[in-house]
Amino acid sequence: MEAFPIINMEKLNGEERADTMNIIEDACENWGFFELMNHGISYELMDKVEKLSKDHYKKCMEQRFKELVASKALEGVEAEITDMDWESTFSSNISQNPTFSTKAMKEFALELEKLAELLLDLLCENLGLEKGYLKKAFSGSKGPTFGTKIGNYPPCPKPELVKGLRAHTDAGGIILLFQDDKVSGLQLLKGENWVDVPPMRHSIVVNIGDQLEVITNGKYKSVMHRVVTQTEGTRMSIASFYNPCSDAVISPAKELLEREGVKDESDVYPKFVFEEYMKLYTAVKFQPKEPRFEAFKASEKSNSASFATA
């Protein structure tokens, strides 16, 4: 089995830049995931954010989870549960969770947003697109959106019966994850095999969302991933999403289609408004992504036919 792609970002500044860019390219095309080391975010800040997140969970959410979920969900259950996640989440957004919004979390979010934009420009470079193309594609009328979800995956007495988070692809643009380095659980589907995403101290895990797959016309892939439950330890996961504006129109980059000589409409991903994609995604999140793309392609054809006969 190939080694999970790990990117040392310091090597982007020296003689190994070309090789490092090639690793990023291969990761985007064949894994949909990679892990960043030496990414420039202060380890001290990351440690502070980790402590804040874990303390908040223990103080405000752990007991509630035990009472509402852990004590009742698996009573008498013998077959795998397919309609729930063994997960406790909260937002770091001040409007949604004013008791948790802290200076450290705001600083961390700003650092992650800058890192996301740097990564998007590295992807532009690999794709042969002008710098800033992907950010512009996400911008719509108000600019890209950025938000953070903090998840905790408590110990589960019957890990074979319930997932921490069911398999899915992410709907948005590019996702940056600060995960627990002591309690594992994140897996991605590569081919027919589930592969562990290695927990590494002070790393940032990056994965490709559906919107980047559309813009690159399938060159870069969003992949199914999940969290498996463990019998011991609570896994922390801080996921930040750099997504298009709700009214951004997402479609394959014309430059890529022209360069690759794509002419057959059946080989071209659909064009849609991100908000409309999210409405469909919300209803079918835990189902394969391909029918979502096909639904919008069918809608495009229907609209084109209606226009032609008008």
Side-chain angles (χ1 to χ4, degrees):
M1 188 70 185
E2 302 168 81
F4 185 88
I6 297 171
I7 313 297
N8 181 351
M9 294 194 71
E10 286 185 343
K11 293 185 177 180
L12 289 168
N13 301 317
E15 296 178 355
E16 297 181 73
R17 178 181 174 83
D19 289 340
T20 304
M21 292 294 285
N22 287 337
I23 297 172
I24 295 173
E25 178 84 343
D26 179 73
C28 292
E29 291 183 3
N30 298 308
W31 289 81
F33 271 76
F34 51 92
E35 196 156 1
L36 301 177
M37 302 300 296
N38 298 316
H39 40 67
I41 299 177
S42 158
Y43 293 168
E44 181 182 359
L45 177 61
M46 295 179 79
D47 290 343
K48 188 179 294 185
V49 164
E50 179 176 0
K51 185 177 187 306
L52 284 167
S53 300
K54 290 183 173 181
D55 286 352
H56 181 81
Y57 171 73
K58 287 190 74 66
K59 180 180 178 182
C60 303
M61 305 185 73
E62 184 176 43
Q63 187 59 36
R64 185 182 179 199
F65 183 87
K66 288 178 179 178
E67 292 172 357
L68 296 182
V69 180
S71 63
K72 302 174 183 177
L74 299 179
E75 283 184 10
V77 176
E78 296 182 1
E80 183 174 359
I81 300 173
T82 58
D83 60 354
M84 72 167 283
D85 302 308
W86 196 265
E87 175 189 51
S88 175
T89 65
F90 59 97
S91 170
S92 67
N93 186 300
I94 189 168
S95 63
Q96 298 178 40
N97 193 353
T99 62
F100 183 71
S101 182
T102 67
K103 181 180 178 181
M105 287 304 304
K106 292 174 187 175
E107 184 181 347
F108 186 55
L110 287 173
E111 291 295 317
L112 284 172
E113 190 169 3
K114 288 192 293 185
L115 180 58
E117 293 183 348
L118 170 61
L119 289 169
L120 287 179
D121 279 340
L122 292 175
L123 301 193
C124 285
E125 185 177 336
N126 270 338
L127 291 164
L129 299 171
E130 66 178 348
K131 185 177 182 180
Y133 180 96
L134 291 172
K135 180 179 180 179
K136 185 177 180 181
F138 286 2
S139 290
S141 63
K142 299 179 182 177
T145 63
F146 188 84
T148 297
K149 182 188 83 168
I150 301 171
N152 287 274
Y153 302 90
C156 179
K158 297 181 180 179
E160 71 281 2
L161 295 184
V162 62
K163 295 290 183 292
L165 181 59
R166 289 163 285 168
H168 64 288
T169 65
D170 286 327
I174 191 167
I175 300 86
L176 291 83
L177 174 71
F178 175 26
Q179 67 167 347
D180 204 299
D181 66 302
K182 297 180 178 65
V183 184
S184 62
L186 178 61
Q187 298 180 329
L188 65 92
L189 187 62
K190 190 171 191 328
E192 297 180 353
N193 300 311
W194 286 102
V195 178
D196 292 328
V197 177
M200 297 171 61
R201 187 72 178 154
H202 295 136
S203 71
I204 298 290
V205 176
V206 179
N207 71 284
I208 300 296
D210 292 350
Q211 306 312 301
L212 284 180
E213 179 165 338
V214 171
I215 292 171
T216 64
N217 203 50
K219 184 176 177 67
Y220 292 173
K221 297 290 194 298
S222 65
V223 300
M224 296 289 278
H225 53 284
R226 67 186 185 183
V227 176
V228 294
T229 49
Q230 311 286 350
T231 55
E232 295 185 12
T234 296
R235 178 179 181 273
M236 179 204 73
S237 165
I238 303 178
S240 295
F241 303 84
Y242 189 99
N243 288 345
C245 178
S246 61
D247 65 3
V249 178
I250 303 299
S251 64
K254 291 181 180 178
E255 294 90 331
L256 295 181
L257 297 179
E258 291 171 357
R259 192 184 315 140
E260 296 175 10
V262 179
K263 296 179 181 178
D264 190 331
E265 285 188 9
S266 64
D267 295 329
V268 179
Y269 275 65
K271 177 180 181 179
F272 49 74
V273 176
F274 180 61
E275 183 176 33
E276 295 303 315
Y277 186 86
M278 286 304 299
K279 289 177 183 177
L280 176 60
Y281 175 86
T282 301
V284 295
K285 174 178 178 178
F286 298 108
Q287 297 177 24
K289 64 186 174 183
E290 289 79 11
R292 301 196 287 266
F293 297 148
E294 291 301 323
F296 279 101
K297 286 177 77 169
S299 177
E300 271 190 291
K301 287 181 181 179
S302 175
N303 291 338
S304 295
S306 299
F307 181 77
T309 57

